[in-house]
Amino acid sequence: MNKKTILSGIQATGSLTLGNYLGALNNWVEMQEEYDCYYMIADLHTLTIRNNPETLKENTLKLIALYIASGLNPEKNTIFIQSHVPAHTQLSWILNCYTYMGELNRMTQFKDKSSKHADNINSGLFTYPVLMAADILAYNADLVPVGDDQKQHLELTRDIAERFNSLYGETFKIPEPYTKKVGARIMGLQNPTAKMSKSSQDPMDKILLTDSPDEIRKKFKKAVTDSENCVRFDRESKPGVSNLMSIYGIIKNKTMDEIEKQFEGQGYGAFKTAVAEAVIERLEPLQNKYNELLENPDKLMAICNKGAKKAEEKANRVLKDVYKKVGLVIE
Ligand code: TRP
């Protein structure tokens, strides 16, 4: 009964890619038996850049459907929408008062996003990592599965938690990053030295979870490789082929050695076809379930409402403790 707690979330921007699936969702599914898992849609974080309100709403529902279609069982996991649990923003305000401008100024994502959205460097973008800290600390999460781009935010979360604990006594658990067993950092198909990103401008660079079989075949066919024409794992000098091997390896549960043997003497054409077919086969049931779920948005909302209730109970306990510690009068 003493399961460790996991919390993670994805922003409701754009469609998810194969990288999100193999790097995150697929691992979340594996953790649902062993841990007490909280998975949210980080819709409040999405507001730090400008979105079309209708699109945001749609993307939020779609993301919930994708969580479930990927295999997250709503009975076993707490699936919810961040904005449905006010404790996140309430705790975030308090944590803001224990976070220094200098710390936030050092965040590389803030610097990146400020240069990308130079016309909208809002204070939400600046305090984004504090809301993320609140997401995590409100549940006393032991483990947080995050991509490399979020590691710095998790470090900051630990610093804020330690600072608070040393001022007021043991309040927050210090969360650890959860690093997955398989190194599933999926890179772009056109630019295999950069992460496959849902915000990539080049549609050929990413496989969307909603791509049709033909689109998937076309994208793998055009994926950048090298001129050696030999299926061999070497991230440094063969980033394209190595990335395709990683994708194939995760889906087929094979090691890089096994894949090298399997495709010995075969060219990239045959290998790319095999990768594409493996991806299509894996995504087909997911897509069917996804489409089915989206036909019934009321059911999706019911799942989220139930999740939010459960999340709220836990988060409110932590919030109350924090209120008390800092001297707020609790009614
Ligand atoms: N910032 C994360 C991202 O863009 C999303 C996120 C928000 C998150 N809150 C979180 C991830 C809490 C882990 C834990 O990827």
Side-chain angles (χ1 to χ4, degrees):
M1 267 281 61
N2 254 340
K3 286 184 174 175
K4 286 192 170 179
T5 300
I6 285 202
L7 177 127
S8 199
I10 299 180
Q11 287 195 57
T13 43
S15 309
L16 293 198
T17 68
L18 188 64
N20 296 117
Y21 175 67
L22 297 179
L25 282 173
N26 193 37
N27 293 307
W28 294 4
V29 172
E30 281 173 21
M31 297 183 300
Q32 62 189 1
E33 307 294 339
E34 204 178 325
Y35 301 101
D36 184 21
C37 302
Y38 290 79
Y39 293 124
M40 59 168 204
I41 313 286
D43 59 343
L44 295 171
H45 279 108
T46 312
L47 297 179
T48 54
I49 52 166
R50 294 282 173 260
N51 300 279
N52 174 310
E54 277 310 311
T55 314
L56 174 57
K57 226 165 142 182
E58 256 174 49
N59 283 341
T60 302
L61 265 187
K62 284 183 176 169
L63 195 48
I64 298 160
L66 265 184
Y67 277 13
I68 299 167
S70 300
L72 286 184
N73 181 342
E75 300 295 325
K76 288 189 183 154
N77 303 276
T78 308
I79 297 174
F80 67 101
I81 299 174
Q82 185 186 31
S83 63
H84 288 185
V85 182
H88 293 234
T89 39
Q90 291 168 313
L91 181 59
S92 174
W93 167 255
I94 295 181
L95 297 182
N96 263 313
C97 302
Y98 297 85
T99 309
Y100 297 112
M101 303 274 288
E103 289 176 305
L104 294 175
N105 256 325
R106 282 200 292 276
M107 295 293 120
T108 53
Q109 191 176 72
F110 173 66
K111 291 183 215 167
D112 278 0
K113 288 197 177 170
S114 306
S115 62
K116 263 192 213 146
H117 306 278
D119 56 340
N120 181 25
I121 306 176
N122 60 71
S123 34
L125 199 60
F126 190 60
T127 58
Y128 175 116
V130 185
L131 178 58
M132 183 160 156
D135 298 337
I136 297 165
L137 299 178
Y139 297 88
N140 273 322
D142 297 279
L143 296 169
V144 183
V146 282
D148 286 343
D149 60 330
Q150 298 296 317
K151 289 241 167 82
Q152 199 186 25
H153 292 161
L154 189 57
E155 274 304 311
L156 177 66
T157 302
R158 292 164 56 89
D159 291 344
I160 298 171
E162 275 165 8
R163 181 171 305 143
F164 196 96
N165 286 353
S166 71
L167 285 168
Y168 301 101
E170 212 49 34
T171 309
F172 296 122
K173 251 201 196 137
I174 310 300
E176 303 278 342
Y178 179 91
T179 32
K180 32 199 184 258
K181 293 165 218 132
V182 263
R185 189 159 193 249
I186 305 303
M187 314 305 267
L189 297 185
Q190 290 302 314
N191 179 10
T193 53
K195 183 177 134 177
M196 183 186 285
S197 163
K198 54 185 170 169
S199 56
S200 168
Q201 297 298 318
D202 178 1
M204 296 302 283
D205 196 48
K206 55 189 179 187
I207 301 284
L208 299 181
L209 292 182
T210 47
D211 276 347
S212 70
D214 280 344
E215 282 166 322
I216 295 173
R217 284 188 192 104
K218 192 171 88 192
K219 289 180 184 181
F220 277 110
K221 208 175 203 166
K222 294 251 158 71
V224 167
T225 48
D226 51 69
S227 55
E228 194 190 14
N229 211 23
C230 167
V231 178
R232 188 167 62 78
F233 190 81
D234 179 346
R235 276 232 185 257
E236 288 290 303
S237 60
K238 295 165 71 72
V241 171
S242 302
N243 186 40
L244 298 181
M245 290 176 75
S246 301
I247 294 172
Y248 191 76
I250 296 167
I251 294 181
K252 292 287 190 185
N253 207 5
K254 289 192 176 181
T255 64
M256 296 305 116
D257 277 350
E258 286 167 344
I259 299 172
E260 284 176 7
K261 287 214 180 73
Q262 182 183 345
F263 291 95
E264 209 176 317
Q266 298 185 47
Y268 290 156
F271 176 55
K272 283 175 165 183
T273 305
V275 180
E277 295 309 317
V279 170
I280 292 167
E281 191 184 293
R282 171 60 77 92
L283 292 187
E284 193 189 72
L286 189 155
Q287 294 178 345
N288 290 343
K289 181 97 199 274
Y290 172 74
N291 291 327
E292 190 187 302
L293 286 163
L294 279 180
E295 274 171 26
N296 198 343
D298 290 348
K299 200 167 140 200
L300 288 176
M301 283 317 295
I303 290 171
C304 290
N305 289 338
K306 195 168 147 220
K309 276 220 179 74
K310 185 164 164 235
E312 191 160 35
E313 268 173 37
K314 181 148 182 172
N316 278 347
R317 277 201 299 274
V318 174
L319 183 68
K320 229 186 194 144
D321 184 30
V322 171
Y323 274 24
K324 256 201 307 219
K325 293 242 166 86
V326 298
L328 299 182
V329 176
I330 302 171
E331 353 112 79

